[in-house]
Amino acid sequence: MNETLMEKVQPWIERTIGASFDAFGDHGTSVIAHPSDYDGIPLWGCKIGERAVIACRVDWVQPIRKIVRGQSTDMLFSTLGTYDLSRVTLPEGVGVWGISWFMFADERTWRPPEREDVIHLTPEEMREINGDLYWHSFPEDAVAGFAIMDGKRIIALAGVRDDGDPMLEVGMDVLDDARGAGLGKSVVSAAGRWILDQGKLIVASTAPFNVPSARTLRSAGLQYGFTAMLGRHGVLKVPPQPLGLPYPGAEVYNLYPDWAMNREIQPRP
């Protein structure tokens, strides 16, 4: 991410994760307690370049320091790291999810919408949308939505929600039978244009397994900011297998047969 954009988003990152950039380890990962007045996610791991920090509940600081001591940031910010950190957090009802990539954009990086048939939806209209089908677009929390229709059916949707000044977040869903036509980029671009028109900055997040989403966000002008692990109340969830293909028609094979799958991972409830 360019330095100008990083300067704009730095205060939001620090406020969100509960740690200043000065708290990041110079050569590895530092572990600090959240400020006493912090009211957010119970654990944030944030990696920018080779510097990283884990900000968490005060009673987790010492046991997590033992875990990260001597650990490379690349190995820590991986499935291995989410498992190791969950050894501390999961007995307290917090599973560590990761990794996620957080991406940002402003006027300089954003790319305009490519279609004129994107429909602007109000918050009231968004709340009427099926949240089980379009859950990435957070319809219950959206302050605006942007959709492409096929008749009366929404086939691509981007929702916008307030993530705290100056950030508005974009989330996106494209129905299976409409993928591959650039509809995701069109609704995301329209959402981003609206966000910028409000005088705000754009943030979005995706996971490494979600190849189509990462490609869409990059193509719309979002730039990588940091890698995150988040402690969330509830069960420990593992990422699914990679989505998408390197190119249409490419052959991709599952390394493991059914008998080699991890039988200790429970099915989605």
Side-chain angles (χ1 to χ4, degrees), residues 4-264:
T4 301
L5 183 54
M6 178 58 83
E7 289 176 359
K8 292 179 181 178
V9 304
Q10 178 177 338
W12 179 87
I13 296 174
E14 292 177 326
R15 186 171 66 251
T16 299
I17 70 176
S20 72
F21 276 23
D22 291 339
F24 281 59
D26 289 331
H27 301 285
T29 305
S30 64
V31 184
I32 66 169
H34 278 139
S36 58
D37 60 348
Y38 178 76
D39 183 22
I41 293 173
L43 180 146
W44 268 98
C46 183
K47 177 179 179 290
I48 301 176
E50 296 302 315
R51 304 182 66 206
V53 66
I54 293 176
C56 61
R57 287 174 19 181
V58 64
D59 55 315
W60 290 347
V61 170
Q62 289 306 321
I64 288 178
R65 282 178 176 167
K66 294 179 181 178
I67 290 173
V68 307
R69 187 175 298 128
Q71 179 71 283
S72 74
T73 55
D74 286 338
M75 293 186 72
L76 179 63
F77 282 76
S78 70
T79 302
L80 171 65
T82 64
Y83 271 50
D84 284 349
L85 295 175
S86 291
R87 295 173 66 180
V88 174
T89 67
L90 198 55
E92 301 291 333
V94 175
V96 178
W97 169 259
I99 58 176
S100 295
W101 293 327
F102 277 73
M103 306 172 70
F104 303 87
D106 61 7
E107 281 280 3
R108 291 186 175 186
T109 70
W110 200 244
R111 295 168 187 166
E114 296 185 342
R115 297 170 60 121
E116 296 182 357
D117 58 347
V118 178
I119 299 171
H120 183 183
L121 303 178
T122 67
E124 292 73 24
E125 290 171 322
M126 286 292 290
R127 283 193 286 272
E128 296 176 359
I129 291 174
N130 184 345
D132 292 331
L133 188 59
Y134 301 97
W135 63 276
H136 288 104
S137 302
F138 25 80
E140 293 184 0
D141 301 323
V143 297
F146 298 85
I148 294 176
M149 311 291 294
D150 180 10
K152 295 184 177 181
R153 184 176 69 131
I154 294 175
I155 57 175
L157 178 67
V160 178
R161 71 177 174 187
D162 189 347
D163 264 6
D165 193 59
M167 294 297 173
L168 291 177
E169 181 180 0
V170 178
M172 171 196 64
D173 294 282
V174 179
L175 296 189
D176 288 343
D177 60 354
R179 291 177 178 168
L183 303 185
K185 180 180 177 181
S186 295
V187 293
V188 167
S189 294
R193 181 67 266 163
W194 182 84
I195 290 172
L196 295 173
D197 288 344
Q198 313 311 304
K200 305 295 185 178
L201 298 176
I202 306 161
V203 61
S205 66
T206 190
F209 69 83
N210 198 337
V211 174
S213 175
R215 285 174 168 170
T216 295
L217 296 177
R218 289 186 64 210
S219 69
L222 283 142
Q223 295 187 354
Y224 166 83
F226 65 89
T227 298
M229 295 186 292
L230 296 83
R232 296 191 178 278
H233 293 284
V235 299
L236 175 62
K237 301 175 183 178
V238 298
Q241 65 180 347
L243 304 177
L245 297 171
Y247 55 86
E251 293 185 350
V252 178
Y253 295 89
N254 184 9
L255 176 63
Y256 290 101
D258 288 344
W259 59 263
M261 301 302 290
N262 188 346
R263 304 296 181 185
E264 296 178 293

